[in-house]
Amino acid sequence: MLFTTKTEYGLKALGFLAKSKLKEPVSLGEISRQTGISLSYLEQIFSKLKKGGVVLSLKGADGGYVLARSAKQINLFDIIESIEGDLEIFYCMANGGCSSRGCLTKKVWVDLQGTITKTLKKYKLSDLI
Amino acid sequence: MLFTTKTEYGLKALGFLAKSKLKEPVSLGEISRQTGISLSYLEQIFSKLKKGGVVLSLKGADGGYVLARSAKQINLFDIIESIEGDLEIFYCMANGGCSSRGCLTKKVWVDLQGTITKTLKKYKLSDLI
DNA sequence: ATATTACTGAGTAATTTACTAGGATATGCT
DNA sequence: AGCATATCCTAGTAAATTACTCAGTAATAT
């Protein structure tokens, strides 16, 4: 499985956020009610999305989250990278690169990584709503 | 992680098989000695590769495995599909397709799936040795 | 016969995933 | 000031997956 449920839920939640025409922040409680995703799980996901610069937050009463920029300017790579971290395709690449001389997979890995990245950058959050 | 160690080891082992100029079958014991991968794990991997039509086997003394066709005619998609089964990128696709009307990810999934498949079909086993 | 090999299925330890729980901290409202 | 509503932060845990090992059976060349 390339992506976890966090990415799936994250996309769903962000889609909901993007649809909200209000300029006011939307609380995770509201998103939770509308999407069925648990509040505490949403908190984990949005913490990553905030660190990744995809959303902005406002604490306190009437607080919540807003997209950091328009849905047209947020691509899926931004979102997925925020949530999943760097995609690692082969174990031999996991620790800062393959060091064994006989490694056969590096070339493919680099190509595949690039291909996936390119595809994910092609899609914007606005394409999903 | 897109692929497991089985794929990594499988590629390594197949690379070794492809390099062997002998037309005689190579035993997993030999591959194990040369690659450091345990015999029993290789057995699991080659069982899948055989089911997937990538290798042929010969039982008994002096038996072993041979590539089912030339290394130029075996692409990485064949190998990886044999070992990993179908790639599933999102959970919502796991059970025979996403059924919820509001699913946002199907379009991307299909595209990404196609992109990955295409890239993997581009590379042949012979490219890796 | 015996050694050598593929083949099979079950079992297990480690890791990752998918969550939940409990609190601390910030902010608007009365 | 104090309460309700939020984000934020750190652990913890159950289920699933991964990464193997082990013990045995079946086939075949010598």
Side-chain angles (χ1 to χ4, degrees), chain A residues 65-101:
Chain A
Y65 288 90
V66 205
L67 296 181
R69 47 193 186 280
S70 85
K72 280 188 183 175
Q73 294 174 298
I74 297 174
N75 63 50
L76 297 202
F77 182 79
D78 298 334
I79 297 170
I80 291 172
E81 196 188 31
S82 300
I83 295 176
E84 304 282 347
D86 284 336
L87 294 177
E88 282 162 4
I89 292 172
F90 287 112
Y91 276 103
C92 65
M93 295 299 292
N95 299 317
C98 180
S99 54
S100 77
R101 264 181 304 162

Side-chain angles (χ1 to χ4, degrees), chain A residues 23-87:
Chain A
K23 296 200 173 174
E24 284 160 19
V26 182
S27 75
L28 295 186
E30 178 64 15
I31 297 179
S32 173
R33 253 168 270 128
Q34 297 285 342
T35 60
I37 305 162
S38 88
L39 176 59
S40 43
Y41 209 32
L42 281 173
E43 284 174 340
Q44 283 196 5
I45 295 165
F46 274 77
S47 158
K48 287 165 184 278
L49 289 171
K50 193 190 171 186
K51 271 188 194 159
V54 174
V55 295
L56 302 174
S57 68
L58 279 142
K59 288 179 96 172
D62 291 336
Y65 288 90
V66 205
L67 296 181
R69 47 193 186 280
S70 85
K72 280 188 183 175
Q73 294 174 298
I74 297 174
N75 63 50
L76 297 202
F77 182 79
D78 298 334
I79 297 170
I80 291 172
E81 196 188 31
S82 300
I83 295 176
E84 304 282 347
D86 284 336
L87 294 177

